[in-house]
Structures are given as C-alpha cells and as structure tokens.
Amino acid sequence: QVQVEESGGGLVQAGDSLRLSCATSGRTSSTYAMGWFRQAPGKERGFVAAITGNGGSTYYVDRVKGRFTISRDNAKNTVYLQMNSLKPEDTAVYYCAAASAFTPSFLLPRATTYDYWGQGTQVTVSS
C-alpha cells in the first residue's frame, strides 16, 4: 500500500507561478513512474505531465508544454510540478498518481495506468 499526498495549491492571478509537491509514503520500496492529472468542474480528468522512475524522461500535454515542468527527488520520495505563466484555464483540482516504474511510456497519459492517487489539491487562477 502506497499513500500519495499533494500540496502547494492555492489561489493565484494569471501569469503567476506555483509549485505543487507530491509525496509518497507507506510501503514504497520501489521507484514509481509518477503523473499529474487535473480535473475542472464539469470536465473529465485529464493528463498534465508524467515522469519516469529514474527521472530520465518527461511527458506533457500540449497545453502546458513550455510552462509546466515535472521533476523528482527520489531521495525525498517527492515529485514536483512547477507551473509558470498560469492561465485561468489551468484552474482545476490537481491530482498526483503513482504507477509501476516499468510502465511503457505510451501508457503514462492514461489515468487507468496508475495504481495510487492523492486526494487532490485545488489550483485557482483568476484573470
């Protein structure tokens, strides 16, 4: 069993930056591939970014490329999502999730790939 917990959300203005953190705990002796997803009110949950277990590869949805950066510090069992130049359309509940380190890269944007999910953290961007 692995616990996943996001933090760092809040209310910001368009153009501002925010960094989300995702900490894993519990029986987590192996390295996981990690992903960030988001869900706005009335919308389906969608992929934002993912990173492989060793941090060697990253993946982003087109809408956030050049603005968001996913990274990890395995010594701290923590993954980050640095969000710059935030836009009102980025407003959503952001979720962090963990998947097997051996997950093929093409599966990482799929929510069903992930076994463990955090409770979500709210990000609100005002115009």
Side-chain angles (χ1 to χ4, degrees):
Q1 185 177 346
V2 176
Q3 293 182 346
V4 181
E5 184 174 7
E6 310 94 334
S7 62
L11 174 62
V12 298
Q13 294 186 346
D16 285 353
S17 296
L18 205 58
R19 189 182 75 163
L20 305 183
S21 297
C22 174
T24 59
S25 60
R27 288 196 274 181
T28 173
S29 60
S30 61
T31 302
Y32 296 95
M34 303 295 295
W36 286 96
F37 292 76
R38 64 187 180 184
Q39 186 167 26
K43 304 293 178 59
E44 66 180 0
R45 187 172 300 185
F47 172 73
V48 178
I51 188 167
T52 53
N54 64 2
S57 298
T58 57
Y59 308 90
Y60 302 91
V61 69
D62 287 345
R63 284 195 171 206
V64 308
K65 287 181 179 178
R67 298 190 298 121
F68 290 11
T69 302
I70 187 171
S71 62
R72 68 191 303 157
D73 184 344
N74 284 352
K76 297 181 178 180
N77 291 320
T78 301
V79 175
Y80 305 97
L81 184 67
Q82 178 66 46
M83 304 184 294
N84 298 326
S85 301
L86 283 163
K87 304 175 180 180
E89 52 262 45
D90 295 318
T91 295
V93 176
Y94 283 69
Y95 297 90
C96 180
S100 169
F102 304 104
T103 300
S105 60
F106 79 93
L107 292 177
L108 293 178
R110 305 182 184 185
T112 54
T113 293
Y114 298 84
D115 300 308
Y116 307 101
W117 291 81
Q119 80 290 343
T121 185
Q122 177 71 47
V123 173
T124 302
V125 184
S126 63
S127 60

